[in-house]
Amino acid sequence: MKINIKKVILFFITFIFLYFVFVNLDIKKLFEIIKNFDAKYIFLLSIFIICSQTCRAFCFKQLISKTINIPIKEAIPLCLTGSALNIGLPARAGDLFRAFYTGQKYNQNKIKIFGSIMLERIFDVFVIFCLLCIGIFIYKKNQIAGNLCIFSGICIFIGIIICIISYKYNKTEKICNYIKDKTNNFVLSKYLHKTIDFINNTCNSFFNGFEIIKSPKHIFIALISSFGIWFFECLCFLTTMHAFGYNIHWSVSLFLISFIALACMIPSTSIFIGPYQAAVIAAFALYNVNKEAALAISFTEQAMITVVSTIFAVIFLTKNNISLSTIKEEIKK
């Protein structure tokens, strides 16, 4: 029987986080809190989730505008579908699907579009860092959060500099040609050169997805849209807290979003089970909210995003005659 090492590692990571989540958890108290959820907030939560993905659609539209003029009415369900796939499948399948679908429909390079989506994620990280700084400025009682802010800031600054340098001074072709010249007499050099050409074309296509950097207008609109994404994400958490009767200061949503975004970068199984809940519990702990309440809010908010995104995903995929098996095949390529 063949063992998939990657899956074993992911399950192990998930298990560690789930142990932290469920250790010393009062299950009876958890269910009592869940019963207190006010269902009248469901509609408002759904609106905020759709608004968040609408902002992501505007951001995506701006980042690929130099190549494709995608209608916003198409970009919105596409982003909602991407959100559902990111939750339900591993390896950020939703981001890969957006690149695959858009490239195929508009006959454009999929790797280039994926590069634009990665630029979108860089914007996300920058905005999340800003929210974390605001949250720490408002709530100055925790040194760990302050250290996290400094560490995140350094990583983001380095990442942005690397991206700008990589795009502006792209030496991939020069390096690949140099390696090819030095390996002309190697055994099987023909196959080696094919691999080098593939790497060269892929890297160049990916960096071409950053071309929007040259347009301050589009960058500004994309950045404002990214702030809109996380503004509505914060509203989702605030609304969920109110639905459970917790009138906690709005700054808690800034910590929640920041912790969750960082936690979701940690590899785990599908639906972000483990790191997601652990991040919410850790953020709520700063406000002395018990684990049971944090977990109830976490599960409810995540369930709402999953349900709303999945409904749109099913409609979108059915309308475009796309099956999950097709998506999985594209991801493996």
Side-chain angles (χ1 to χ4, degrees), residues 113-311:
I113 297 170
F114 185 69
S116 296
I117 293 174
M118 290 301 98
L119 183 60
E120 174 192 306
R121 292 302 176 185
I122 292 171
F123 282 7
D124 285 343
V125 173
F126 173 75
V127 172
I128 289 163
F129 172 67
C130 291
L131 296 178
L132 182 60
C133 288
I134 295 170
I136 289 171
F137 178 78
I138 294 170
Y139 194 83
K140 303 176 181 178
K141 298 180 181 179
N142 193 282
Q143 186 60 40
I144 295 175
N147 293 336
L148 178 64
C149 183
I150 294 170
F151 175 74
S152 301
I154 293 171
C155 292
I156 291 165
F157 177 76
I158 293 172
I160 291 174
I161 294 299
I162 290 173
C163 288
I164 293 173
I165 293 174
S166 299
Y167 172 71
K168 193 170 182 181
Y169 304 101
N170 183 9
K171 303 294 182 182
T172 305
E173 190 164 351
K174 186 176 180 180
I175 294 170
C176 287
N177 287 336
Y178 175 81
I179 295 173
K180 286 170 69 176
D181 288 339
K182 294 297 182 180
T183 57
N184 275 329
N185 298 323
F186 278 27
V187 178
L188 302 176
S189 60
K190 178 181 176 181
Y191 300 100
L192 176 63
H193 289 179
K194 281 185 177 180
T195 303
I196 293 172
D197 286 337
F198 172 77
I199 294 171
N200 181 33
N201 292 332
T202 301
C203 289
N204 283 328
S205 296
F206 181 83
F207 288 128
N208 284 339
F210 289 14
E211 63 182 352
I212 200 69
I213 288 176
K214 295 184 289 187
S215 173
K217 175 186 174 183
H218 289 98
I219 283 290
F220 176 75
I221 296 173
L223 191 58
I224 293 299
S225 299
S226 191
F227 271 101
I229 294 167
W230 297 101
F231 170 75
F232 285 110
E233 291 283 347
C234 288
L235 284 181
C236 277
F237 261 108
L238 281 173
T239 304
T240 308
M241 286 186 277
H242 281 289
F244 280 102
Y246 288 90
N247 295 315
I248 303 171
H249 194 273
W250 60 268
S251 63
V252 72
S253 66
L254 304 181
F255 280 109
L256 282 170
I257 292 302
S258 304
F259 275 57
I260 289 168
L262 291 170
C264 287
M265 294 178 187
I266 300 171
S268 63
T269 54
S270 301
I271 323 180
F272 303 126
I273 287 180
Y276 190 101
Q277 288 74 30
V280 174
I281 290 170
F284 268 123
L286 299 176
Y287 290 81
N288 299 315
V289 176
N290 63 63
K291 180 182 284 190
E292 290 77 17
L295 201 56
I297 293 169
S298 164
F299 280 141
T300 303
E301 197 268 349
Q302 194 177 17
M304 281 297 305
I305 293 175
T306 302
V307 171
V308 172
S309 300
T310 301
I311 290 171

